[in-house]
Amino acid sequence: MASHPTRIPDAVSLPELTVRGMILGALITVVFTASNVYLGLKVGLTFSSSIPAAVISMAVLRALRGGNILENNMVQTQASAAGTLSSIIFVLPGLLMIGHWQGFPFGLTLAICASGGILGVLFTIPLRRAMVVDSELPYPEGVAAAEILRVGSEGDEGTPGAGTKASSDNASSGVREIAFGGVVSALFAFATAGLKVLGESITAWVPAGTAVFRLTTGFSMALIGAGYLIGIVSGLAILLGVVLTWGIAVPVLTTITPNPDGVAMAAFANGLWQHKVRFIGAGVIGVAAVWTLITLAKPMVDGVKTSFAALGKSRGAHGNGQGSGLGRTEQDLSPYWVIGLTLLCVAVWVVTFGVFLADAPLSFGGIATLVICSVVFAVVFGFLVAAACGYMAGLVGSSASPISGIGIVAVVLVSLLILSVSQASGLLDTSEGGKLAIALALFTTAAVIAIATISNDNLQDLKTGWLVGATPWRQQVALLVGCVVGAAVIPPVLNLLYNAYGFTDALPRAGMDPSQALSAPQAILMTAIAKGIFTHQLDWSMLGIGAVLGLALIAIDAVLAKRGGVARVPVIAVGIGIYLPPTIGSVLVIGAVLGWISQRVLKARAKARGQEYGPYAEAAERRGVLLASGLIVGESLVGVAMAMVVGFTGSDAPLAVVGSSFAPTSEWLALLVFAGICVMIVRRVLATAR
């Protein structure tokens, strides 16, 4: 690694953490955080913003002149941290779904996000040497981002390889791909969500006796991009989840469950999926998350040991570690800074949780007990999962890590904890007190998610920095800044989207169209679990079926892993396929298949030319990643922009040029346009390699 020609050696000092870089990082942060919040609320997935942020940074800094690979790395580090923090939306909307909040208070939301994100950075700093420098973990996204930076920075000031024109061409072409994908996706989304001339999905309900089957697909370029990025293995696992749900579980339940109200077939089947089958998916994800934590028990213990060992060894360091005699690329933030900022964040959380519980019908002692229990749980559990999340990011990448599963485990554990404490305090004696207890469980889970997501992303970014020769403590400062900026962006974006579209089970105004609401699938799931535990009405039978199914899938995956090869069954992805709406899961599968088709054609071409696949397909694969990122960003930004229009006009469809009678035609028209764009995407990727 250290011998790579474009790794900046310790003896060379280049501008890294610059004012212009931080401003640029903040601007990119706003874009990718808004995009990730929208995508997460709509489909329950977020995307890694490291690579597109790196490409945009290279293009902008090159135009401003004087940029270098380390400054570019700092910009993408800051932007990726903020984009990752948006995963907090997997929980927070639940507070509106139970009626505890009527919007997202800026102060409380900022405090829980920023402090959690900062703790996620701090908890993984002592793990950097063990998990990044000395580890053989692949860190797929970190390595990819480093390669993008290397290729795009050749010829920059102070970078080996100066004088080449390749970097300028690479940076420009990368921005073009992001822009192309963004424009295509934005136009399609505007025609769908704005003008309404294209439908959002097409569905066929197939009755077979009393059983009901569903064949459907949605039309979303953002989901095509997300599916392309997750790959064929995860895509097929999601497809398995969809088939298990709508090909087996729902048909069986519609056969054995009477429909006394005589509701429409589609509504009946959807109701069974939402209130029963989804919990099978929760069971699968929960078991997969627990199994992941079990398999990572040794790395977690080693990580904790490494943390304390690092603190002991670094006591002689000053400030940023420069007094320890370490080389530039070995200098982490001083343990004194780590401990001091940790204590500050814990203090902020104590105040935040105190404000959150200010109206609780309890004595000061009762409120203090709940605050202490919640904060201690969030910090301790967050510290434990930080090592696990960092390891998972190194193993499978940030985007593929089971953050949802960790959230499910956290919400179950903290709900049981608060339930036991609340029963003794009398909080559950009234309905309002019971609602507050559920809200506290969700709020605490949000704190854990903030730690988990950032720790998941942090080591990936530090791997990128190690590969290009960045100074670790400067990169850690950039991560901290990214967390604060992202935390400031999240509350207004959440309020904007909520007031424009609403969430499933939480509409801000009467008369809104529920079909246009953002699904927020993880928030619905976490809320249902917390409510079920506190009201003793959780459907444990469905969770149990999911747990058994998850164990069976784990066994199958273990057998496939022993056999070797690419055939695997990612259990988390199967669970996602079960609990996501099929109009979402199906499009993710299509996106994954498009990526697989491109890869197969590239392999065939390389073989026919007698070339190695890696070098031959490198440019095409990079174009595919950037194009997919553009597809996600384009639709997401249109969604946010449409939310502004809806909020300003007060109309659910202010730009629609057709009426409801055009809906059947719009669905078939959308299918044709959607298929055409999919073909165009594959052709554009393949055109890179001739």
Side-chain angles (χ1 to χ4, degrees):
M1 273 181 281
S3 62
H4 194 286
T6 52
R7 185 179 193 270
I8 307 301
D10 281 22
V12 176
S13 181
L14 297 176
E16 291 185 68
L17 198 60
T18 63
V19 173
R20 69 175 187 176
M22 294 178 71
I23 294 173
L24 176 58
L27 295 175
I28 298 176
T29 287
V30 172
V31 174
F32 285 119
T33 300
S35 300
N36 258 329
V37 168
Y38 176 79
L39 187 70
L41 290 172
K42 184 174 182 179
V43 304
L45 295 171
T46 57
F47 69 102
S48 175
S49 53
S50 294
I51 291 176
V55 171
I56 294 172
S57 169
M58 287 188 294
V60 174
L61 291 181
R62 182 171 296 279
L64 295 175
R65 300 188 180 280
N68 64 79
I69 190 171
L70 300 186
E71 188 178 15
N72 284 324
N73 176 60
M74 290 296 163
V75 174
Q76 73 83 20
T77 295
Q78 180 180 335
S80 69
T84 302
L85 188 60
S86 59
S87 296
I88 196 81
I89 51 89
F90 290 169
V91 184
L92 282 183
L95 294 170
L96 280 69
M97 294 173 183
I98 64 172
H100 181 74
W101 279 357
Q102 304 306 314
F104 296 92
F106 182 81
L108 288 177
T109 307
L110 172 67
I112 202 72
C113 292
S115 297
I118 290 171
L119 287 173
V121 175
L122 298 175
F123 286 167
T124 49
I125 286 174
L127 305 179
R128 184 187 65 84
R129 168 157 287 281
M131 287 194 177
V132 172
V133 180
D134 299 333
S135 171
E136 295 299 322
L137 292 171
Y139 287 98
E141 290 160 355
V143 172
E147 194 57 35
I148 292 286
L149 288 168
R150 284 168 173 162
V151 172
S153 297
E154 289 177 357
D156 282 346
E157 181 181 316
T159 303
T164 66
K165 186 175 177 293
S167 60
S168 180
D169 294 339
N170 277 299
S172 299
S173 64
V175 173
R176 279 199 301 269
E177 293 309 318
I178 295 175
F180 179 83
V183 170
V184 169
S185 181
L187 291 175
F188 186 86
F190 183 65
T192 301
L195 302 180
K196 302 291 184 182
V197 294
L198 299 179
E200 295 186 1
S201 64
I202 188 168
T203 297
W205 295 95
V206 183
T210 55
V212 179
F213 297 83
R214 183 180 184 182
L215 300 174
T216 187
T217 183
F219 304 124
S220 166
M221 288 299 110
L223 292 181
I224 289 294
Y228 192 101
L229 293 176
I230 65 175
I232 190 63
V233 175
S234 295
L236 291 179
I238 292 173
L239 177 61
L240 175 60
V242 173
V243 172
L244 289 173
T245 301
W246 295 97
I248 298 177
V250 172
V252 168
L253 286 175
T254 51
T255 300
I256 64 176
T257 306
N259 184 5
D261 299 327
V263 299
M265 175 178 62
F268 178 51
N270 264 329
L272 289 173
W273 166 72
Q274 184 170 348
H275 299 294
K276 289 188 174 293
V277 178
R278 256 190 165 175
F279 286 95
I280 296 177
V284 171
I285 294 172
V287 164
V290 171
W291 176 249
T292 302
L293 293 176
I294 291 172
T295 58
L296 295 177
K298 187 178 184 304
M300 284 177 63
V301 172
D302 291 343
V304 173
K305 288 181 180 178
T306 304
S307 298
F308 288 111
L311 290 175
K313 290 178 182 177
S314 304
R315 288 189 181 277
H318 302 287
N320 55 23
Q322 293 179 14
S324 63
L326 296 173
R328 181 182 59 80
T329 59
E330 295 289 352
Q331 296 171 5
D332 291 298
L333 275 177
S334 162
Y336 298 109
W337 277 102
V338 173
I339 293 172
L341 288 174
T342 299
L343 293 176
L344 177 62
C345 288
V346 171
V348 169
W349 268 1
V350 169
V351 174
T352 302
F353 277 86
V355 173
F356 188 83
L357 290 170
D359 296 330
L362 295 172
S363 65
F364 176 81
I367 292 176
T369 300
L370 286 174
V371 169
I372 292 171
C373 287
S374 300
V375 173
V376 170
F377 176 87
V379 173
V380 173
F381 190 74
F383 180 76
L384 292 176
V385 301
C389 287
Y391 185 88
M392 288 186 288
L395 194 63
V396 299
S398 302
S399 301
S401 297
I403 295 298
S404 298
I406 287 173
I408 289 173
V409 174
V411 77
V412 170
L413 293 178
V414 75
S415 294
L416 293 173
L417 172 65
I418 293 174
L419 178 63
S420 62
V421 175
S422 299
Q423 285 175 332
S425 67
L427 180 64
L428 302 180
D429 294 344
T430 64
S431 60
E432 284 302 311
K435 182 192 294 184
L436 182 60
I438 297 170
L440 179 60
L442 293 174
F443 198 63
T444 307
T445 303
V448 173
I449 288 287
I451 294 176
T453 53
I454 290 299
S455 61
N456 190 255
D457 175 76
N458 184 16
L459 292 180
Q460 199 83 243
D461 286 324
L462 291 174
K463 181 67 173 183
T464 301
W466 170 252
L467 291 174
V468 301
T471 308
W473 75 264
R474 290 190 174 98
Q475 201 169 5
Q476 289 150 10
V477 170
L479 284 160
L480 295 174
V481 172
C483 289
V484 175
V485 174
V489 173
I490 288 171
V493 173
L494 279 172
N495 278 316
L496 177 67
L497 294 174
Y498 169 63
N499 288 317
Y501 304 115
F503 307 140
T504 301
D505 298 336
L507 298 177
R509 298 180 301 279
M512 293 185 69
D513 183 0
S515 66
Q516 300 299 314
L518 297 170
S519 61
Q522 280 96 339
I524 289 177
L525 201 55
M526 308 260 186
T527 303
I529 291 172
K531 287 175 66 176
I533 290 174
F534 280 96
T535 60
H536 306 290
Q537 296 177 350
L538 188 61
D539 195 338
W540 291 103
S541 62
M542 289 293 146
L543 281 172
I545 292 172
V548 172
L549 176 60
L551 291 172
L553 291 170
I554 288 170
I556 293 171
D557 188 54
V559 172
L560 292 174
K562 273 190 174 181
R563 291 179 58 186
V566 297
R568 296 295 298 273
V569 183
V571 182
I572 291 284
V574 177
I576 287 174
I578 293 173
Y579 83 74
L580 280 181
T583 51
I584 293 172
S586 58
V587 190
L588 289 171
V589 174
I590 293 171
V593 170
L594 292 181
W596 176 77
I597 291 172
S598 300
Q599 189 178 62
R600 296 288 293 183
V601 173
L602 289 170
K603 284 183 177 179
R605 287 183 180 178
K607 185 177 180 180
R609 289 165 172 76
Q611 299 182 29
E612 290 186 16
Y613 172 74
Y616 175 78
E618 181 181 5
E621 289 184 339
R622 183 179 296 121
R623 170 178 272 191
V625 168
L626 297 174
L627 188 58
S629 300
L631 292 174
I632 294 171
V633 172
E635 179 176 323
S636 300
L637 293 183
V638 167
V640 174
M642 283 300 302
M644 296 180 184
V645 176
V646 170
F648 181 75
T649 61
S651 170
D652 289 344
L655 304 180
V657 296
V658 295
S660 57
S661 60
F662 189 73
T665 304
S666 70
E667 292 176 356
W668 290 104
L669 185 59
L671 179 61
L672 292 174
V673 177
F674 180 75
I677 294 176
C678 288
V679 172
M680 179 182 65
I681 290 170
V682 174
R683 290 174 63 89
R684 187 173 180 87
V685 171
L686 296 177
T688 312
R690 291 291 187 185

